[in-house]
Amino acid sequence: MQDRFTFATKLHSTEIARIGVFDSGVGGLTVLQEIYRQLPQESVLYFGDTARVPYGTRSATEILQFTRQTLEWMVAQQVKMAIMACNTSSALALETVRAEYDLPILGVILPGARTAARYGRRIGVIATPATVNSNAYLHAISEANPNAQVWQVACPEFVPIVENNRIAAPETLKIAQDYLQPLLDRSIDTLVYGCTHYPHLEPVFRQFVPPSIQFVNPAVAVVAAAAKELQVLGIQNRLRPLPTEFFVSGDPAQFTHIAAQWLPTVPAVRQISLSNTSVSEPLDIG
Ligand code: DGL
């Protein structure tokens, strides 16, 4: 018979802990959707740093600082794994924080780059300015397939468009065409969403991108990698999954309003402040 001690230990065991998923805003929902599809038995804690979105035009020091603050908080919430559902953090902070935290941490770039390198020879990457400047995709794709040609375009206007719910606005189509035209001119065969916000814009891209061009959403590959990692570590959830918990640093009502269009139910969103979370380096305000 199970005594109270065994039951308490089991309740706090790693298997039933949540997977932490984070992004600067609603972009990580494209990864959450993949978790619902590929890992429906898992419970998730989602954090969107909406008070500080966008990350993609910030310095590497700031991005590392924000990523550390989020991970500190997630560790305190006892997540069993963290998925950095943000390419910008993955490009600029993943390697550093992996060495700092005793937690499996997955980033989106390597899984996305490997998928692209498998399918494409002429690969276009659209991403935030910080991700493009890091050349993280360029290096990862070239390593996976030295014969692949890669072109990158920074699209700073896309994240504000998605966060402010302007996807269907008439000017968005024109902005998207202007960003993607240089890649279409290169006759790309593959287009990588190098920012997790961008799959939300797919209805816009579909209006003018030729159907022969393959879209690569790194969310698919990162969740497949997470599934493998959970299995290897023996920490898959074997009990009933809990409803996803949503937290943001900005306005919960705005997040709820925007996120509801992509989620099966209207999310209950709470606000937290990460500014008091202890971190190892000061912000670079220069
Ligand atoms: N969605 C994130 C990414 O994948 C961050 C975008 C931003 O905040 O600029 O890069």
Side-chain angles (χ1 to χ4, degrees), residues 23-28 52-58 84-90 108 127-129 131 156 159-160 163 193-198:
D23 178 47
S24 59
V26 294
R52 304 190 287 198
V53 69
Y55 277 15
T57 44
R58 290 180 180 274
M84 225 176 244
C86 174
N87 289 264
T88 310
S89 300
S90 304
V108 271
T128 66
T131 301
V159 169
E163 290 291 331
Y193 292 131
C195 170
T196 49
H197 281 74
Y198 299 176

Side-chain angles (χ1 to χ4, degrees), residues 17-157:
R18 293 171 185 269
I19 298 174
V21 174
F22 67 92
D23 178 47
S24 59
V26 294
L29 297 177
T30 58
V31 174
L32 183 63
Q33 286 170 319
E34 267 308 305
I35 294 180
Y36 289 160
R37 202 173 66 82
Q38 296 186 44
L39 290 171
Q41 74 282 12
E42 294 296 336
S43 309
V44 177
L45 173 73
Y46 186 95
F47 173 64
D49 197 2
T50 53
R52 304 190 287 198
V53 69
Y55 277 15
T57 44
R58 290 180 180 274
S59 71
T61 311
E62 281 179 299
I63 293 160
L64 179 57
Q65 174 90 357
F66 298 167
T67 305
R68 280 181 175 142
Q69 288 177 326
T70 299
L71 284 167
E72 295 285 341
W73 178 75
M74 288 212 159
V75 167
Q77 306 307 305
Q78 300 185 318
V79 300
K80 63 182 173 186
M81 165 185 279
I83 302 183
M84 225 176 244
C86 174
N87 289 264
T88 310
S89 300
S90 304
L92 290 140
L94 178 63
E95 245 181 75
T96 307
V97 295
R98 261 194 182 150
E100 295 174 344
Y101 295 88
D102 184 20
L103 178 78
I105 306 172
L106 278 72
V108 271
I109 292 190
L110 207 55
R114 286 187 179 145
T115 307
R118 227 184 359 259
Y119 297 123
R121 292 296 166 268
R122 302 180 64 81
I123 301 171
V125 178
I126 47 174
T128 66
T131 301
V132 166
N133 290 337
S134 76
N135 283 322
Y137 269 104
L138 181 68
H139 293 144
I141 294 171
S142 305
E143 199 166 302
N145 180 358
N147 297 321
Q149 285 186 278
V150 182
W151 295 274
Q152 309 178 89
V153 173
C155 312
E157 289 192 60

